[in-house]
Amino acid sequence: MTTMTTSMQALQQTLLDQICEAWLKLQQQQPLVHIMTNTVASNHVANILLAAHASPAMIDNPFEAESFAKIAAAISLNLGTPTTEQVQAMQIAAETAHQLQKPWVLDPVGYGTVLHWRSGIADQLMHFHPAILRGNASEIGALAGKQIESKGVDSTVDSADVYLQAQSLLDYCECIAISGESDYIISRDYPVIQVSGGSALQPRITAMGCALGALIAAYSAVTSPAVAALTAHVHFAIAGQLAFERAQQLGNFNVAFLDEIHQLNTETIRQYASFKILPESI
Amino acid sequence: MTTMTTSMQALQQTLLDQICEAWLKLQQQQPLVHIMTNTVASNHVANILLAAHASPAMIDNPFEAESFAKIAAAISLNLGTPTTEQVQAMQIAAETAHQLQKPWVLDPVGYGTVLHWRSGIADQLMHFHPAILRGNASEIGALAGKQIESKGVDSTVDSADVYLQAQSLLDYCECIAISGESDYIISRDYPVIQVSGGSALQPRITAMGCALGALIAAYSAVTSPAVAALTAHVHFAIAGQLAFERAQQLGNFNVAFLDEIHQLNTETIRQYASFKILPESI
Amino acid sequence: MTTMTTSMQALQQTLLDQICEAWLKLQQQQPLVHIMTNTVASNHVANILLAAHASPAMIDNPFEAESFAKIAAAISLNLGTPTTEQVQAMQIAAETAHQLQKPWVLDPVGYGTVLHWRSGIADQLMHFHPAILRGNASEIGALAGKQIESKGVDSTVDSADVYLQAQSLLDYCECIAISGESDYIISRDYPVIQVSGGSALQPRITAMGCALGALIAAYSAVTSPAVAALTAHVHFAIAGQLAFERAQQLGNFNVAFLDEIHQLNTETIRQYASFKILPESI
């Protein structure tokens, strides 16, 4: 038991070091991230990635998807407001990423529920093996085959109820990141990691999850899928916490959140990162 | 005359109570609002609705429009930047709403002028009887058959000149909401209601009208069309007024506006709501 | 030499007067600007143009492009996230502008690199002779036939290296505006003008270049292409500088930038405008 705890603490420290290293590499390399996202999120996503020192590029037409996927360091596909042309572009980009073993993130916004078209598209995209699958508990739960009642595109399910079921999805991807009141990072490399922090105001700003997915993609260009997901979640959780300390009103919180995404540093990470490794079985 | 004034005062008080009740119900029920809007507005609209505690979902493809319209509590259709696919989705959603007697809002952005394509689409959508038709004076005036010179998509017509003509549109919808320097709520249920407040900076922030239309839809999920339109207009007018008291610069006003949309409460409504019932004939 | 310097100073003063005059005319005329831009930029572009007192209207479908181009005072076409329908609309609007000798701006986002589809579209659009071609150094350099390595849609090339080559593009347009650490305005009317100012945070906010392109279009409705480009660049440079004096954090800088775009005046222009006329050969 003591050994277990000690090895847990060692892993926790290793992960903290890897988060800092991933953050530093992102600053240095400023990787080109090929993004297809929804019309609600696109401005916010681009600003979050620029603030984090990545190089976002929204290329979502089928005529340029392959050539751009080839030069991008990572790809982020988000199914929030798909159009026929954008879906074609996504399929091309996912296939290209798969062939080139380039990391890509799938964010199956609204999966399950009554949104059958996009759910079918997400099912197809899963066959190109995203490095990371990210979503809220409703979406990941539905993908894992659990029948869940969902209201619209926002989650009504507690993320803690889903992460055990979600492990079955590791046949299709290397890492699953579930966002909610607590966040869960599930991978083959590590036990389940629970990330805390953030602010209760975060779900009241649109496209936060979409931006998180794109930031995971940015980090996946400089580290492993599991560490990329963990780092992006920690980055968001710290930014949310520090922003709320400065600004408790919704509009001002949104502004402060971008400030904090931008001014994160390794000192802040070491001081505020809040995550724990869950025991293998509960 | 005294009786008339007294009954007017009683109606005013009744409406104020209904506004407070609608606001409370929105907080409690957080209704799912199915939104199709333009690319300029989508982020702002989603943030305003989240700030008001509604649950916005932008689903604007023809393959999911029917099934999502069926589960939504209300629907908001905005013709700002229509595409062929989005227009198909709008027609399906409007027809579905009409069949299920679900409240929906039509915002015919740019109606009249030289924008014949969208004007024809708006004419078709009117046959599915929106609960509320909302627009600026140019748009509503043009829909009411008055020939009006308009410059682009922003109104150059005084809303006060239009509200009498607009009553003819009550054959197609239950309520007409005209935004401008003063706002006018026209319905079969009440005499014309004039809403004041807001800030002169509001027209200098894009998509304010689009967000107002979607907020009307949110309120229509919890109250009658006329009270929904009135409540949304009062919500916006108070937020604009209070935001301007704190922030007189344009960017900061925009941020403060989201703060104030979020932190409205019944006390603020009772203190700041500014509307009057107009006499039946002038 | 002394004569040269004196005539340079006279030209500098003339240009400063013309900038002030252009700014005043924009306030008075509030010209209708027909804009087609990308989904990342559309909200920001509309807000910047409203803040500057222009009247932006995003009409980007092929069914209304001709009729709206006819009534607009100027047109701005940006190739950031083209769709098949939007491209059709752009071609119609550019042809209409060309026939009516109406000023229009082309912003060939991502030109060159691996983005062949949009590059071909930009090549076609160039035959309709934009009044102003604007872009970053990578894009303009690629258009000028110089082989340049570019990473995504953001420039990795120093604008100073490109402006000499760019002069060859004056066969296709009246003015070329290159944005970067320094900005360069190239035209047949004047020697090359270098604009300084702004803030190092500007490239970390998305769609700043896209908004600048649309603002150039707005100014082109009230003055010559070269003065329009110069005025818009000076407007942005002053806003960036003054915003940074008030707000050094990224989110707050973005908010302050909109404040400063809105509250520019001729006194501020005369105090802060920083541009110089470059000698004909170096």
mmCIF file of all heavy atoms in Angstrom, chain A residues 238-269:
data_model
loop_
_atom_site.group_PDB
_atom_site.id
_atom_site.type_symbol
_atom_site.label_atom_id
_atom_site.label_comp_id
_atom_site.label_asym_id
_atom_site.label_seq_id
_atom_site.Cartn_x
_atom_site.Cartn_y
_atom_site.Cartn_z
ATOM 1 N N ILE A 238 -6.279 25.647 -15.023
ATOM 2 C CA ILE A 238 -5.557 26.732 -14.350
ATOM 3 C C ILE A 238 -6.047 28.086 -14.859
ATOM 4 O O ILE A 238 -6.310 29.004 -14.067
ATOM 5 C CB ILE A 238 -4.031 26.595 -14.564
ATOM 6 C CG1 ILE A 238 -3.516 25.323 -13.882
ATOM 7 C CG2 ILE A 238 -3.297 27.822 -14.027
ATOM 8 C CD1 ILE A 238 -2.039 25.037 -14.139
ATOM 9 N N ALA A 239 -6.200 28.203 -16.158
ATOM 10 C CA ALA A 239 -6.679 29.473 -16.725
ATOM 11 C C ALA A 239 -8.057 29.826 -16.163
ATOM 12 O O ALA A 239 -8.320 30.980 -15.806
ATOM 13 C CB ALA A 239 -6.726 29.388 -18.252
ATOM 14 N N GLY A 240 -8.936 28.833 -16.071
ATOM 15 C CA GLY A 240 -10.268 29.079 -15.534
ATOM 16 C C GLY A 240 -10.233 29.511 -14.078
ATOM 17 O O GLY A 240 -10.949 30.436 -13.669
ATOM 18 N N GLN A 241 -9.385 28.843 -13.306
ATOM 19 C CA GLN A 241 -9.280 29.167 -11.878
ATOM 20 C C GLN A 241 -8.717 30.572 -11.663
ATOM 21 O O GLN A 241 -9.285 31.380 -10.910
ATOM 22 C CB GLN A 241 -8.384 28.127 -11.204
ATOM 23 C CG GLN A 241 -8.266 28.310 -9.695
ATOM 24 C CD GLN A 241 -7.320 27.285 -9.079
ATOM 25 O OE1 GLN A 241 -7.128 26.194 -9.641
ATOM 26 N NE2 GLN A 241 -6.751 27.626 -7.939
ATOM 27 N N LEU A 242 -7.634 30.884 -12.362
ATOM 28 C CA LEU A 242 -7.003 32.198 -12.186
ATOM 29 C C LEU A 242 -7.874 33.325 -12.761
ATOM 30 O O LEU A 242 -7.928 34.421 -12.208
ATOM 31 C CB LEU A 242 -5.607 32.210 -12.823
ATOM 32 C CG LEU A 242 -4.589 31.259 -12.190
ATOM 33 C CD1 LEU A 242 -3.228 31.401 -12.868
ATOM 34 C CD2 LEU A 242 -4.453 31.517 -10.683
ATOM 35 N N ALA A 243 -8.554 33.035 -13.850
ATOM 36 C CA ALA A 243 -9.446 34.046 -14.426
ATOM 37 C C ALA A 243 -10.569 34.371 -13.451
ATOM 38 O O ALA A 243 -10.917 35.538 -13.251
ATOM 39 C CB ALA A 243 -10.023 33.542 -15.753
ATOM 40 N N PHE A 244 -11.115 33.349 -12.833
ATOM 41 C CA PHE A 244 -12.226 33.571 -11.893
ATOM 42 C C PHE A 244 -11.762 34.324 -10.651
ATOM 43 O O PHE A 244 -12.541 35.093 -10.060
ATOM 44 C CB PHE A 244 -12.868 32.241 -11.496
ATOM 45 C CG PHE A 244 -14.116 32.422 -10.686
ATOM 46 C CD1 PHE A 244 -15.302 32.826 -11.295
ATOM 47 C CD2 PHE A 244 -14.125 32.208 -9.313
ATOM 48 C CE1 PHE A 244 -16.461 33.009 -10.553
ATOM 49 C CE2 PHE A 244 -15.272 32.387 -8.564
ATOM 50 C CZ PHE A 244 -16.453 32.786 -9.187
ATOM 51 N N GLU A 245 -10.495 34.119 -10.254
ATOM 52 C CA GLU A 245 -9.987 34.883 -9.104
ATOM 53 C C GLU A 245 -9.984 36.379 -9.404
ATOM 54 O O GLU A 245 -10.183 37.195 -8.507
ATOM 55 C CB GLU A 245 -8.565 34.418 -8.745
ATOM 56 C CG GLU A 245 -8.548 33.076 -8.019
ATOM 57 C CD GLU A 245 -7.135 32.615 -7.673
ATOM 58 O OE1 GLU A 245 -6.196 33.423 -7.781
ATOM 59 O OE2 GLU A 245 -6.997 31.432 -7.301
ATOM 60 N N ARG A 246 -9.800 36.724 -10.681
ATOM 61 C CA ARG A 246 -9.737 38.136 -11.052
ATOM 62 C C ARG A 246 -11.085 38.690 -11.496
ATOM 63 O O ARG A 246 -11.340 39.884 -11.369
ATOM 64 C CB ARG A 246 -8.742 38.333 -12.198
ATOM 65 C CG ARG A 246 -7.297 38.112 -11.795
ATOM 66 C CD ARG A 246 -6.364 38.771 -12.801
ATOM 67 N NE ARG A 246 -6.335 38.084 -14.084
ATOM 68 C CZ ARG A 246 -6.607 38.646 -15.253
ATOM 69 N NH1 ARG A 246 -6.947 39.910 -15.333
ATOM 70 N NH2 ARG A 246 -6.519 37.946 -16.361
ATOM 71 N N ALA A 247 -11.945 37.845 -12.047
ATOM 72 C CA ALA A 247 -13.165 38.332 -12.691
ATOM 73 C C ALA A 247 -14.312 37.363 -12.448
ATOM 74 O O ALA A 247 -14.311 36.261 -12.982
ATOM 75 C CB ALA A 247 -12.926 38.495 -14.191
ATOM 76 N N GLN A 248 -15.285 37.788 -11.646
ATOM 77 C CA GLN A 248 -16.413 36.912 -11.333
ATOM 78 C C GLN A 248 -17.641 37.179 -12.204
ATOM 79 O O GLN A 248 -18.660 36.502 -12.072
ATOM 80 C CB GLN A 248 -16.807 37.039 -9.852
ATOM 81 C CG GLN A 248 -15.769 36.440 -8.901
ATOM 82 C CD GLN A 248 -14.657 37.423 -8.615
ATOM 83 O OE1 GLN A 248 -14.914 38.599 -8.395
ATOM 84 N NE2 GLN A 248 -13.418 36.963 -8.662
ATOM 85 N N GLN A 249 -17.541 38.178 -13.069
ATOM 86 C CA GLN A 249 -18.663 38.442 -13.979
ATOM 87 C C GLN A 249 -18.389 37.756 -15.314
ATOM 88 O O GLN A 249 -17.235 37.690 -15.767
ATOM 89 C CB GLN A 249 -18.829 39.944 -14.168
ATOM 90 C CG GLN A 249 -19.285 40.639 -12.877
ATOM 91 C CD GLN A 249 -19.433 42.128 -13.082
ATOM 92 O OE1 GLN A 249 -18.479 42.808 -13.435
ATOM 93 N NE2 GLN A 249 -20.630 42.642 -12.878
ATOM 94 N N LEU A 250 -19.464 37.297 -15.970
ATOM 95 C CA LEU A 250 -19.306 36.366 -17.086
ATOM 96 C C LEU A 250 -18.489 36.933 -18.251
ATOM 97 O O LEU A 250 -17.573 36.269 -18.756
ATOM 98 C CB LEU A 250 -20.688 35.910 -17.577
ATOM 99 C CG LEU A 250 -20.688 34.751 -18.563
ATOM 100 C CD1 LEU A 250 -20.109 33.504 -17.933
ATOM 101 C CD2 LEU A 250 -22.099 34.479 -19.070
ATOM 102 N N GLY A 251 -18.820 38.138 -18.688
ATOM 103 C CA GLY A 251 -18.101 38.732 -19.820
ATOM 104 C C GLY A 251 -16.646 38.977 -19.482
ATOM 105 O O GLY A 251 -15.744 38.659 -20.264
ATOM 106 N N ASN A 252 -16.423 39.529 -18.313
ATOM 107 C CA ASN A 252 -15.047 39.788 -17.889
ATOM 108 C C ASN A 252 -14.269 38.496 -17.638
ATOM 109 O O ASN A 252 -13.056 38.445 -17.875
ATOM 110 C CB ASN A 252 -15.039 40.678 -16.635
ATOM 111 C CG ASN A 252 -15.153 42.150 -17.001
ATOM 112 O OD1 ASN A 252 -14.211 42.724 -17.514
ATOM 113 N ND2 ASN A 252 -16.320 42.742 -16.773
ATOM 114 N N PHE A 253 -14.967 37.469 -17.163
ATOM 115 C CA PHE A 253 -14.311 36.175 -16.992
ATOM 116 C C PHE A 253 -13.790 35.655 -18.332
ATOM 117 O O PHE A 253 -12.665 35.162 -18.434
ATOM 118 C CB PHE A 253 -15.283 35.157 -16.374
ATOM 119 C CG PHE A 253 -14.762 33.754 -16.400
ATOM 120 C CD1 PHE A 253 -13.839 33.329 -15.454
ATOM 121 C CD2 PHE A 253 -15.160 32.862 -17.381
ATOM 122 C CE1 PHE A 253 -13.331 32.033 -15.485
ATOM 123 C CE2 PHE A 253 -14.665 31.564 -17.424
ATOM 124 C CZ PHE A 253 -13.746 31.152 -16.468
ATOM 125 N N ASN A 254 -14.605 35.779 -19.358
ATOM 126 C CA ASN A 254 -14.221 35.323 -20.698
ATOM 127 C C ASN A 254 -12.963 36.037 -21.181
ATOM 128 O O ASN A 254 -12.050 35.423 -21.752
ATOM 129 C CB ASN A 254 -15.389 35.572 -21.665
ATOM 130 C CG ASN A 254 -15.216 34.862 -22.996
ATOM 131 O OD1 ASN A 254 -14.414 33.948 -23.116
ATOM 132 N ND2 ASN A 254 -15.971 35.287 -23.985
ATOM 133 N N VAL A 255 -12.881 37.330 -20.926
ATOM 134 C CA VAL A 255 -11.707 38.114 -21.304
ATOM 135 C C VAL A 255 -10.487 37.662 -20.496
ATOM 136 O O VAL A 255 -9.398 37.445 -21.040
ATOM 137 C CB VAL A 255 -11.980 39.617 -21.091
ATOM 138 C CG1 VAL A 255 -10.718 40.436 -21.340
ATOM 139 C CG2 VAL A 255 -13.118 40.089 -21.989
ATOM 140 N N ALA A 256 -10.684 37.514 -19.184
ATOM 141 C CA ALA A 256 -9.577 37.113 -18.303
ATOM 142 C C ALA A 256 -9.096 35.701 -18.633
ATOM 143 O O ALA A 256 -7.909 35.381 -18.476
ATOM 144 C CB ALA A 256 -10.020 37.196 -16.841
ATOM 145 N N PHE A 257 -10.012 34.856 -19.095
ATOM 146 C CA PHE A 257 -9.634 33.489 -19.468
ATOM 147 C C PHE A 257 -8.597 33.505 -20.593
ATOM 148 O O PHE A 257 -7.603 32.761 -20.551
ATOM 149 C CB PHE A 257 -10.885 32.700 -19.887
ATOM 150 C CG PHE A 257 -10.628 31.247 -20.135
ATOM 151 C CD1 PHE A 257 -10.589 30.345 -19.076
ATOM 152 C CD2 PHE A 257 -10.417 30.758 -21.415
ATOM 153 C CE1 PHE A 257 -10.336 28.994 -19.296
ATOM 154 C CE2 PHE A 257 -10.169 29.407 -21.643
ATOM 155 C CZ PHE A 257 -10.132 28.526 -20.584
ATOM 156 N N LEU A 258 -8.805 34.352 -21.593
ATOM 157 C CA LEU A 258 -7.825 34.454 -22.685
ATOM 158 C C LEU A 258 -6.490 34.994 -22.156
ATOM 159 O O LEU A 258 -5.412 34.516 -22.550
ATOM 160 C CB LEU A 258 -8.362 35.342 -23.806
ATOM 161 C CG LEU A 258 -7.593 35.263 -25.134
ATOM 162 C CD1 LEU A 258 -7.681 33.880 -25.747
ATOM 163 C CD2 LEU A 258 -8.091 36.295 -26.133
ATOM 164 N N ASP A 259 -6.561 36.001 -21.258
ATOM 165 C CA ASP A 259 -5.334 36.479 -20.586
ATOM 166 C C ASP A 259 -4.558 35.310 -19.984
ATOM 167 O O ASP A 259 -3.347 35.183 -20.178
ATOM 168 C CB ASP A 259 -5.685 37.418 -19.414
ATOM 169 C CG ASP A 259 -6.250 38.757 -19.841
ATOM 170 O OD1 ASP A 259 -6.147 39.106 -21.028
ATOM 171 O OD2 ASP A 259 -6.809 39.448 -18.966
ATOM 172 N N GLU A 260 -5.259 34.485 -19.226
ATOM 173 C CA GLU A 260 -4.595 33.432 -18.452
ATOM 174 C C GLU A 260 -4.104 32.288 -19.322
ATOM 175 O O GLU A 260 -3.077 31.677 -19.023
ATOM 176 C CB GLU A 260 -5.527 32.919 -17.349
ATOM 177 C CG GLU A 260 -5.949 33.982 -16.327
ATOM 178 C CD GLU A 260 -4.781 34.547 -15.519
ATOM 179 O OE1 GLU A 260 -3.729 33.888 -15.445
ATOM 180 O OE2 GLU A 260 -4.920 35.663 -14.968
ATOM 181 N N ILE A 261 -4.834 31.972 -20.396
ATOM 182 C CA ILE A 261 -4.320 30.977 -21.354
ATOM 183 C C ILE A 261 -2.982 31.459 -21.895
ATOM 184 O O ILE A 261 -2.033 30.695 -22.048
ATOM 185 C CB ILE A 261 -5.329 30.771 -22.525
ATOM 186 C CG1 ILE A 261 -6.569 30.013 -22.049
ATOM 187 C CG2 ILE A 261 -4.664 30.043 -23.705
ATOM 188 C CD1 ILE A 261 -6.366 28.544 -21.791
ATOM 189 N N HIS A 262 -2.893 32.759 -22.142
ATOM 190 C CA HIS A 262 -1.690 33.348 -22.746
ATOM 191 C C HIS A 262 -0.521 33.416 -21.775
ATOM 192 O O HIS A 262 0.622 33.206 -22.153
ATOM 193 C CB HIS A 262 -2.040 34.751 -23.258
ATOM 194 C CG HIS A 262 -0.936 35.409 -24.033
ATOM 195 N ND1 HIS A 262 -0.447 36.646 -23.718
ATOM 196 C CD2 HIS A 262 -0.229 34.995 -25.119
ATOM 197 C CE1 HIS A 262 0.512 36.970 -24.562
ATOM 198 N NE2 HIS A 262 0.657 35.996 -25.429
ATOM 199 N N GLN A 263 -0.809 33.728 -20.505
ATOM 200 C CA GLN A 263 0.312 33.989 -19.593
ATOM 201 C C GLN A 263 0.650 32.816 -18.663
ATOM 202 O O GLN A 263 1.371 32.987 -17.673
ATOM 203 C CB GLN A 263 0.088 35.293 -18.810
ATOM 204 C CG GLN A 263 -1.116 35.341 -17.924
ATOM 205 C CD GLN A 263 -1.546 36.804 -17.695
ATOM 206 O OE1 GLN A 263 -1.036 37.718 -18.337
ATOM 207 N NE2 GLN A 263 -2.481 37.026 -16.800
ATOM 208 N N LEU A 264 0.164 31.630 -19.007
ATOM 209 C CA LEU A 264 0.600 30.451 -18.258
ATOM 210 C C LEU A 264 2.117 30.309 -18.357
ATOM 211 O O LEU A 264 2.729 30.719 -19.347
ATOM 212 C CB LEU A 264 -0.059 29.193 -18.868
ATOM 213 C CG LEU A 264 0.124 27.882 -18.090
ATOM 214 C CD1 LEU A 264 -0.843 27.842 -16.916
ATOM 215 C CD2 LEU A 264 -0.109 26.667 -18.989
ATOM 216 N N ASN A 265 2.723 29.772 -17.339
ATOM 217 C CA ASN A 265 4.145 29.418 -17.421
ATOM 218 C C ASN A 265 4.407 28.221 -16.505
ATOM 219 O O ASN A 265 3.491 27.775 -15.794
ATOM 220 C CB ASN A 265 5.032 30.615 -17.060
ATOM 221 C CG ASN A 265 4.689 31.177 -15.695
ATOM 222 O OD1 ASN A 265 4.572 30.416 -14.724
ATOM 223 N ND2 ASN A 265 4.499 32.487 -15.612
ATOM 224 N N THR A 266 5.610 27.697 -16.531
ATOM 225 C CA THR A 266 5.868 26.457 -15.790
ATOM 226 C C THR A 266 5.726 26.670 -14.281
ATOM 227 O O THR A 266 5.321 25.756 -13.562
ATOM 228 C CB THR A 266 7.270 25.908 -16.119
ATOM 229 O OG1 THR A 266 8.227 26.940 -15.896
ATOM 230 C CG2 THR A 266 7.346 25.449 -17.562
ATOM 231 N N GLU A 267 6.044 27.868 -13.808
ATOM 232 C CA GLU A 267 5.874 28.165 -12.389
ATOM 233 C C GLU A 267 4.390 28.058 -12.001
ATOM 234 O O GLU A 267 4.042 27.435 -10.992
ATOM 235 C CB GLU A 267 6.408 29.570 -12.111
ATOM 236 C CG GLU A 267 6.724 29.849 -10.659
ATOM 237 C CD GLU A 267 7.252 31.279 -10.478
ATOM 238 O OE1 GLU A 267 7.748 31.862 -11.474
ATOM 239 O OE2 GLU A 267 7.149 31.802 -9.357
ATOM 240 N N THR A 268 3.530 28.665 -12.820
ATOM 241 C CA THR A 268 2.086 28.599 -12.573
ATOM 242 C C THR A 268 1.592 27.155 -12.650
ATOM 243 O O THR A 268 0.750 26.732 -11.859
ATOM 244 C CB THR A 268 1.325 29.449 -13.610
ATOM 245 O OG1 THR A 268 2.065 30.627 -13.887
ATOM 246 C CG2 THR A 268 -0.058 29.797 -13.113
ATOM 247 N N ILE A 269 2.101 26.416 -13.637
ATOM 248 C CA ILE A 269 1.692 25.015 -13.766
ATOM 249 C C ILE A 269 2.027 24.257 -12.477
ATOM 250 O O ILE A 269 1.179 23.566 -11.909
ATOM 251 C CB ILE A 269 2.390 24.340 -14.975
ATOM 252 C CG1 ILE A 269 1.921 24.965 -16.291
ATOM 253 C CG2 ILE A 269 2.122 22.837 -14.976
ATOM 254 C CD1 ILE A 269 2.713 24.521 -17.519
#
